[in-house]
Amino acid sequence: MEYSCPNYELACNECGKRYGNRPLSACPDCIAPLEVVYDLASAKGVFTRESVAQGPADIWRYARLLPVPEGFQPDLAVGFTPLVRTAKFGSRIGADSLYVKNDAVCFPTLSFKDRVVSVALANAQKFGFDTVGCSSTGNLANSVAAQAARLGLKACILIPADLEPAKILNTLVYGARLIRIDGNYDHVNRLSTLIADEYNWGFVNVNLRPYYAEGSKTVGYEIAEQLGWRLPDNVVVPMAGGSLIRKIRKAFNELVFLGLVEKPERPVRFFGAQATGCSPITTAVRQGSDDIIPQKPNTIARSLAIGNPADGPAAAKMILQDGGWAEDVSDVEIVSGIQELAETEGIFTETAGGVTAAVTARLYADERIGRGETTVVCITGNGLKTTDVLANRYDRATSPAIRPRLADFEAYFRSLDGQPEPELVAAGE
């Protein structure tokens, strides 16, 4: 179960040993994680702004820098989501050049996980797996189930038992076998590792993890291209396992090496965002350390609730090296972040996006980011998946219906604005 490719292969982060391409996530010799390494020199003059522009309007326009097997023919238009310049939200928090990278509308399941799954499953097919799976806090479950159905693969997905109902439904509807585990994500992930060792299945975030993680680079490629082939000053990224923030930086570095963007005078600063109820990476960063102390998750932001993040040490180290920072926010702030982004920009994000929006506001308030600096905020999932956190916030959704009469409408409309009803005004004159 192996294939060769001249453009990339797996390599150990610690000892540097090469492993070709196989379903393997850690070096058998030193147990360090494996990463996909590329022959970037061979991409010079091939991967250009012009060649990218001629590609499809999805992540496959960057296929030369993705670990997809030769001959792979994608038929799912994943990614290339909008980069939206904010007006009201930026003004409210004191930002003059603030953008939202909106993966809340990513195809097909409305989260950035569609990117990573599409790359992972391209390899699952090459390796000959007929069953794929994952351990998930929700969005990954949705994406694996949907894309497995499209490819004709069986899917077995493990989730914490307390996952949001909408995310459970959005997994079951695709016909996947869903198994709820009495425990948090870290328990689920450990069990998934045992299953991947025992069964001949492709677990996207276990034995396919090196390929899966590379799909996140497409967020970075798109940001640079959509900014007119330039890099932002800052990027604010939600952190669960810690992989996304690292892969965006890897994408930027590759573009600099290949000459598609100019090397910035100052390294792009990365700012990590977590929920206070599960903040192992932000805690380490604030202590000036990359030593991650596992936490027991207790937050409404379940998609970020990974208490022992696999890429946590590397993410913390990277943030500190580049002069960035990390913050976490309470559940109350998370809900406010969701509402503020929706009310100002018309972008409805899930709880992870509420974390990112609230952390971004704090970074500007604390002057960790300058008003005029170009900053991109990564929104990674859609608010329709976590409506339960807003259930008690909008009483009008269950308010009494009025009669279909203009007088009733006018009276009720005035009450919404806090004005007395017309007949009450008359009675007091």
Side-chain angles (χ1 to χ4, degrees):
M1 191 175 282
E2 186 174 351
Y3 70 86
S4 61
C5 180
N7 297 327
Y8 62 86
E9 64 179 330
L10 300 182
C12 177
N13 265 352
E14 295 295 331
C15 69
K17 186 175 179 179
R18 301 293 180 103
Y19 287 93
N21 288 291
R22 61 184 71 177
L24 186 68
S25 62
C27 176
D29 294 338
C30 60
I31 319 299
L34 300 182
E35 292 257 0
V36 178
V37 294
Y38 298 84
D39 180 7
L40 286 179
S42 69
K44 280 195 171 182
V46 177
F47 188 88
T48 63
R49 294 182 184 181
E50 292 73 24
S51 68
V52 169
Q54 291 170 7
D58 53 45
I59 67 169
W60 307 117
R61 66 201 284 117
Y62 313 112
R64 182 61 179 77
L65 295 184
L66 294 175
V68 290
E70 291 182 295
F72 171 67
Q73 294 294 325
D75 69 346
L76 195 64
V78 176
F80 215 64
T81 56
L83 182 70
V84 182
R85 181 159 187 167
T86 70
K88 292 182 179 179
F89 181 64
S91 176
R92 185 173 293 185
I93 67 174
D96 291 336
S97 184
L98 183 68
Y99 294 81
V100 169
K101 181 57 176 166
N102 186 17
D103 264 25
V105 294
C106 197
F107 183 77
T109 66
L110 308 182
S111 88
F112 93 98
K113 292 295 187 182
D114 290 323
R115 301 170 181 273
V116 294
V117 169
S118 60
V119 176
L121 294 193
N123 284 277
Q125 289 181 294
K126 182 69 174 180
F127 292 135
F129 291 117
D130 66 357
T131 301
V132 294
C134 66
S135 50
S136 176
T137 55
N139 286 324
L140 182 58
N142 298 169
S143 190
V144 169
Q147 296 194 48
R150 183 178 179 86
L151 296 173
L153 299 171
K154 300 173 186 175
C156 182
I157 293 165
L158 283 68
I159 61 170
D162 66 348
L163 208 61
E164 296 97 336
K167 288 181 178 176
I168 294 175
L169 176 62
N170 275 291
T171 300
L172 291 171
V173 72
Y174 301 112
R177 287 171 288 182
L178 186 70
I179 301 174
R180 298 168 64 239
I181 306 300
D182 184 15
N184 59 38
Y185 174 82
D186 298 300
H187 297 119
V188 176
N189 194 49
R190 283 194 289 271
L191 177 58
S192 295
T193 301
L194 296 174
I195 295 171
D197 288 340
E198 186 70 21
Y199 292 77
N200 188 34
W201 293 352
F203 268 72
V204 299
N205 52 349
V206 181
N207 51 5
L208 296 173
R209 184 175 180 82
Y211 305 100
Y212 154 92
E214 288 292 290
S216 294
K217 292 194 306 180
T218 60
V219 176
Y221 297 148
E222 290 176 20
I223 289 171
E225 184 180 359
Q226 291 169 327
L227 285 175
W229 292 111
R230 63 186 178 90
L231 300 183
D233 298 307
N234 315 291
V235 185
V236 186
V237 185
M239 299 186 298
S243 175
L244 175 59
I245 195 168
R246 294 180 57 240
K247 295 301 181 178
I248 295 175
R249 184 218 206 188
K250 183 177 182 180
F252 289 171
N253 289 342
E254 290 174 347
L255 294 177
V256 169
F257 178 85
L258 294 172
L260 275 75
V261 298
E262 291 186 7
K263 184 177 181 179
E265 294 182 5
R266 186 194 72 183
V268 177
R269 294 189 300 166
F270 287 87
F271 295 85
Q274 292 197 295
T276 301
C278 187
S279 54
I281 306 177
T282 60
T283 298
V285 169
R286 287 201 301 269
Q287 294 172 350
S289 169
D290 59 7
D291 184 21
I292 301 296
I293 300 175
Q295 297 181 359
K296 184 177 180 180
N298 181 23
T299 174
I300 61 171
R302 294 185 183 91
S303 59
L304 302 183
I306 299 179
N308 189 16
D311 291 294
K317 183 177 181 180
M318 183 206 88
I319 290 168
L320 292 168
Q321 281 181 339
D322 291 346
W325 190 244
E327 284 288 353
D328 53 78
V329 288
S330 69
D331 286 356
V332 171
E333 292 172 293
I334 292 169
V335 173
S336 294
I338 293 171
Q339 293 174 305
E340 192 161 27
L341 194 60
E343 291 170 2
T344 57
E345 301 299 334
I347 295 173
F348 185 21
T349 180
E350 64 164 11
T351 49
V355 169
T356 313
V359 164
T360 300
R362 181 179 297 177
L363 292 169
Y364 277 94
D366 293 346
E367 298 184 348
R368 291 191 177 275
I369 297 178
R371 185 181 188 104
E373 296 175 3
T374 298
T375 300
V376 175
V377 178
C378 293
I379 298 301
T380 52
N382 196 286
L384 293 173
K385 299 186 178 196
T386 58
T387 56
D388 52 310
V389 302
L390 299 173
N392 298 321
R393 301 279 170 164
Y394 297 98
D395 294 336
R396 293 179 198 134
T398 56
S399 62
I402 64 170
R403 294 177 299 177
R405 297 180 181 178
L406 182 59
D408 289 48
F409 165 77
E410 291 175 341
Y412 183 69
F413 191 74
R414 284 174 174 262
S415 72
L416 294 180
D417 290 333
Q419 301 178 37
E421 296 181 4
E423 56 269 27
L424 296 181
V425 172
E429 288 180 349

